[in-house]
Amino acid sequence: MPDEKRLFLLDAFALIYRGYFALNANAKFNPVNSKGLDTSAILGFTNTLVEVLNKQKPSHMAVIFDTAAPTERHEEFTEYKANREEMPDAIAISIPYIKELLAAFKIPVIEAEGYEADDIIGTLAKKAEQKGFITYMMTPDKDFAQLVSDNILIYKPGRFGSDAEILGPKEVCQKFEIENPLQVIDILGLQGDAVDNIPGIPGVGEKTAKQLIKEFGSVENLLQNTDKLKGKLKEKVEQHKDKAILSKKLATIITDVPLQLNENELRLKEPDKEKILALFSELEFRTLAKRVLGQEIQSTTQTGQIDMFGRVDEVEEQTETQAVSFKTLADVSHTYYLADNEEKINSLLNILSQTKEFCFDTETTDLDAHQAQLVGLSFAIKPHEAWYVPVSPDKTEAINTLFKFKSVFENESILKIGQNIKYDYLVLYWHGIEVKGILWDTMLAHYLIEPEKKHGMDYLSETYLQYRPVSIETLIGKKGKNQGNMRDVPLDLIKDYAAEDADITLQLKNKLYPLLAANNCEKLFYEIESPLIKVLAHMEKEGVNLDVNFLKEYSIQLHNEINIIEEKIFELAGTKFNIDSPKQLGQILFEQLKIDEKAKKTKTGQYATGEEVLEKLKDKHSIINLILDYREVRKLKSTYVDTLPEMINTSTQRIHTSFMQAVAATGRLSSNNPNLQNIPIRTERGRKIRKAFIARNENYILLSADYSQVELRIIAALSKDEHMLEAFANGHDIHAATAAKVFGVKIENVTKEMRNKAKAVNFGIIYGQSAFGLSQNLNIPQREAKEIIDSYFTQYPNIKLYMDNNIAFARKYGYVETVMGRRRYLPDINSSNNTVRGFAERNAINAPIQGSAADIIKKAMIDIFKELQAKNYKSKMILQVHDELVFDVYKPELEEIKKMVANKMQNAYNIGVPLLAETGTGQNWLEAH
């Protein structure tokens, strides 16, 4: 073995993600060091790397990374990988550390813009084969099976102590039921790939794809012989021939990337042990340091000590290859009852009515609370004991069952516990029951304790209870069009599953309750997040009216605009081309029109044509503005104008967005289905979409109430800068007042250009903007930008002091706080990596400001909702978007509501600077804003 040329090519991101989710999803593998840094991705990847180095003794190695640049596949198919979720922050901040570790191990990192890691690995593997190497493609990705040969193998690392799996031609052919590994591409072309958003032929799954390739050998041969198919399959294949050809092309790994195989560069060398030790020390990888280097490192926390998140610090002693043992339903003594008749239900009701708190959960037919039918209810009042009450699909019987529980749900003296309880609240609300009393949501409690972490029940259970709940997929199958329905699950199975949910949630409440106090979250939980649940539930149920006819007309208008803009672009370009193709667009702009002589080609011969690049070139050629216009119109049409009508609830004929409390670490609300936070407002076309949101009927009018410059008022209050405080106290235009100070002129002599520059600085400062960032934003020389910022800090010295103090506080305590005590933990604030540390420093400045704004509007929403309820107004609060609230107001109540809303918003919290809420009205949202 030592004499063999054994090359290991590591698929970086596949292994990093694998390590992150494998470790971070489990209680014993949940590594957070004493600084609060989630090291899951780094530890998982490093363990895998060390294991292969020790066990396989490679002679050569490289680690291959993807880049952010678009590839040929994106040009072929713009939707390629469009479904991929954004990279978790914990992984993003781990990448620099992983690359530093690889440099310390002296293992080369290879990446090439315009190509995926798969293509680089495929190319190097083929080149290595010609030079007599045995190459191991180290990845869990099945796509690599197409490359396998006698000398190119897949090395799939094992999990938790299991051996690695090595796949050669024989194993691949057996797995895919084919004769040649190249036929893997044909199977992928037919079945598609949901992860990469490769379409395949709709309705053709893995089983059918294998059968078709076994019979026809290839996609091309299949398409030439569709007359041999029958029924719906024949129809599907013939109808989607183009998708099959495209999908096969997208699934084909490129093996001619313009890269050389340098044997000497890839040969393993003696690692830099001092650098490895320094990195292991910073990351607190004690066990790895001992195993890899044979050295002890100083421990910053003692084993068994409770960290700031209330967990026992044991994880540094864990490695990915050690076995994980979780308790399951079979391992725990429990008693779960089925309450399926009147006698049992009455007995349960008697117990519930006499308790001070109970946990409950709903089982339903749909994830959308506005459409879900109730299948059953589960209850728990003490650990390891729970009840399940089935609810009949018959409407009359269901109403009779639910009515029995109405009194306990609406008993305000009983505290109700749940996981993501807003969903259950809404389901019952649609079924005629309003859950009253304090709502105690385990998801929100954990969100306040560890805002950057996951908050799902399975994760919480494994982390805090070392218990693995029954997976819903074992009952109804995996997500997708073939997933079953809870209504179809046998009663004995659903009983245990549902009762367990209530039981686990109750146990989690008992674990999280003391941690709220330990993390100074009680006030925020009981006064803001918990009361807000009902506010959001009522807003979601209310929904908003949509002008579908306007959207249809606007869609036609945008379609015509696209055609006109296209023709203008083609005229200026002198030829027709695919405007959506970065490659073709780059050739037109920089080779044919020669707009920017400094534009550089990447290794793939492709130019960068992103929005940031084009914005800088707007003044150089009229085609640039047209391309930006084209992109804006295309996005508006597809994302909003054509999509919103499809999201109308068929029963209510209204849009019901879902507000999410536990997503943004800053405390800001998010919305989904549709995402109303992202409706563009910077351009006239984007703002026009708001015209589609209308009052419910002619007796109502929309009222918009928007905080004016709330974040600047907060920074004035937090910094206590006298000049900024004075400007707000006197009601001055803050940007004009800033310009007067920065440029040394009287406020009446401030020009529009001066004000715009001052505005950019005011908002840029909140996000820790540098002179370079300001110069890019304003398109001015960096020296001028620096002079403006220096002058700004001279005139507003307390703001600079506030920024420095926040960073110093974060370095000392590991977090910063909002005015209401919401914490943002910053584990990387003391990192030795400049990029990572800089990101944490910017958050140290911004999080208290943005988070305070979020806290204030949440408090205003609670106060307004209470008033609307107390006085039984017909007017309803229906939307929240950033610093704005929207109301569907009954016209006779308008003046009263307008005055009340402004008053509640302006007095939601006393920050020491006057808060200002500006209101407007109209029959649609655009008019009201």
Side-chain angles (χ1 to χ4, degrees), residues 18 440 691 804:
R18 171 184 175 274
W440 213 103
K691 196 173 179 181
D804 294 340

Side-chain angles (χ1 to χ4, degrees), residues 263-502:
E263 292 188 38
N264 188 50
E265 284 184 8
L266 300 185
R267 185 177 294 280
L268 280 179
K269 300 171 181 66
E270 190 66 25
D272 188 331
K273 293 186 177 180
E274 286 188 15
K275 284 186 179 178
I276 294 173
L277 181 62
L279 282 163
F280 280 2
S281 298
E282 181 182 347
L283 296 165
E284 299 170 20
F285 288 174
R286 287 179 282 282
T287 302
L288 265 176
K290 194 170 181 181
R291 184 153 62 99
V292 176
L293 305 170
Q295 290 182 254
E296 300 280 354
I297 63 174
Q298 184 77 27
S299 174
T300 53
T301 57
Q302 297 176 353
T303 301
Q305 177 183 340
I306 301 293
D307 68 11
M308 65 176 165
F309 298 126
R311 291 188 305 265
V312 178
D313 176 31
E314 333 176 287
V315 294
E316 73 277 8
E317 297 302 322
Q318 305 294 332
T319 69
E320 184 190 3
T321 54
Q322 291 174 293
V324 178
S325 177
F326 285 109
K327 297 186 291 290
T328 63
L329 197 60
D331 304 317
V332 179
S333 176
H334 64 273
T335 308
Y336 294 161
Y337 304 99
L338 180 65
D340 58 347
N341 60 40
E342 192 166 351
E343 182 183 350
K344 292 176 183 177
I345 288 174
N346 288 337
S347 175
L348 171 59
L349 285 168
N350 185 49
I351 294 168
L352 294 175
S353 63
Q354 296 182 52
T355 188
K356 292 182 179 179
E357 61 181 52
F358 64 76
C359 181
F360 79 99
D361 188 39
T362 60
E363 297 305 331
T364 67
T365 59
D366 202 304
L367 291 174
D368 183 351
H370 309 290
Q371 301 187 116
Q373 295 301 308
L374 203 54
V375 175
L377 297 164
S378 55
F379 300 90
I381 59 169
K382 63 181 181 180
H384 309 299
E385 185 175 277
W387 290 260
Y388 178 67
V389 182
V391 174
S392 171
D394 180 83
K395 192 172 182 179
T396 303
E397 291 180 21
I399 291 171
N400 290 337
T401 301
L402 288 173
F403 185 77
K404 293 173 183 176
F405 288 89
K406 190 175 175 70
S407 61
V408 292
F409 276 122
E410 298 190 351
N411 186 332
E412 295 196 20
S413 65
I414 301 176
L415 180 144
K416 317 299 190 303
I417 303 159
Q419 165 74 15
N420 189 17
I421 203 169
K422 175 161 67 69
Y423 174 85
D424 307 289
Y425 183 101
L426 270 168
V427 169
L428 290 175
Y429 198 14
W430 279 108
H431 284 77
I433 295 174
E434 183 173 1
V435 181
K436 296 182 179 178
I438 296 173
L439 302 180
W440 213 103
D441 192 333
T442 49
M443 178 183 76
L444 293 180
H446 187 254
Y447 167 65
L448 293 178
I449 295 163
E450 294 191 88
E452 305 278 0
K453 287 284 187 179
K454 294 179 286 186
H455 314 293
M457 192 192 78
D458 288 357
Y459 171 77
L460 296 181
S461 177
E462 292 178 5
T463 302
Y464 291 96
L465 306 176
Q466 290 73 57
Y467 181 88
R468 177 164 288 158
V470 174
S471 167
I472 192 170
E473 290 184 353
T474 63
L475 274 68
I476 61 174
K478 293 185 177 181
K479 288 182 181 178
K481 61 183 179 182
N482 295 322
Q483 190 175 46
N485 188 294
M486 290 300 281
R487 182 74 75 189
D488 305 323
V489 178
L491 191 57
D492 59 330
L493 292 180
I494 198 171
K495 180 203 79 172
D496 282 349
Y497 172 83
E500 183 191 62
D501 275 0

Side-chain angles (χ1 to χ4, degrees), residues 80 120 139 190 252 255 282 286 289 333 388 515 521 604 622 662 793 798 805 818 821 860 901:
Y80 180 64
I120 300 170
T139 179
L190 293 178
T252 302
T255 57
E282 181 182 347
R286 287 179 282 282
S333 176
Y388 178 67
L515 297 182
C521 298
T604 66
S622 54
F793 284 136
N798 273 26
N805 286 345
T818 68
V901 166

Side-chain angles (χ1 to χ4, degrees), residues 124-133 135 149-152 261:
L124 294 177
K126 292 294 183 184
K127 287 180 181 289
E129 184 174 39
Q130 294 171 3
K131 293 190 176 186
F133 280 88
T135 301
S149 69
D150 290 338
N151 296 311
I152 301 175
L261 178 74

Side-chain angles (χ1 to χ4, degrees), residues 73-98:
R73 294 180 182 88
H74 293 93
E75 292 176 29
E76 280 295 328
F77 184 52
T78 54
E79 298 302 309
Y80 180 64
K81 292 194 175 181
N83 290 343
R84 290 245 173 141
E85 292 185 8
E86 193 174 339
M87 182 185 293
D89 288 345
I91 290 182
I93 63 177
S94 297
I95 304 305
Y97 284 109
I98 289 171

